[in-house]
Amino acid sequence: MGKKLYIGNLPYTITESELRELFERHGTVASVNVITDRETGRARGFAFVEFEDANSAQAAMQALDGTRVGGRTLRVNEANERGSGGGGGGGGRGGGRGGGGGRGDRY
């Protein structure tokens, strides 16, 4: 069973191939996802690396957490899985007055 790691405090210039190369020293990497800004396309300083097996992920976490890459100290932790429930929120109906249609407007 695979395991996904969260990698934080990455240099903004890092590429997925550089990150893959760094983590492949510890086992077979299934996927690498450097998170980028939607508007600029620039890396946001964190990524997710998924290993094919949990032992390799654990070895990578122990070996690389606290190491320096590109002048920054990496944070490597087990990634928290996103729940299938809601998330992110946003939108919704505006509060405020006089809009009508919202809850509680009958009285």
Side-chain angles (χ1 to χ4, degrees), residues 3-7 23 26 51 54-67 74-79:
K3 183 170 283 239
K4 190 179 279 190
L5 299 178
Y6 164 85
I7 297 80
F23 279 82
H26 305 283
F51 279 87
N55 291 333
S56 295
Q58 188 67 32
M61 190 169 31
Q62 289 175 345
L64 295 172
D65 185 42
T67 60
L74 297 185
R75 287 190 347 241
V76 182
N77 301 305
E78 192 172 325

Side-chain angles (χ1 to χ4, degrees), residues 32-44:
V32 176
N33 187 11
V34 175
I35 306 304
T36 56
D37 182 90
R38 287 184 206 179
E39 294 182 19
T40 66
R42 184 175 160 209
R44 293 183 57 197

Side-chain angles (χ1 to χ4, degrees), residues 47-58:
F48 296 94
V49 174
E50 186 172 6
F51 279 87
E52 288 189 4
D53 72 274
N55 291 333
S56 295
Q58 188 67 32

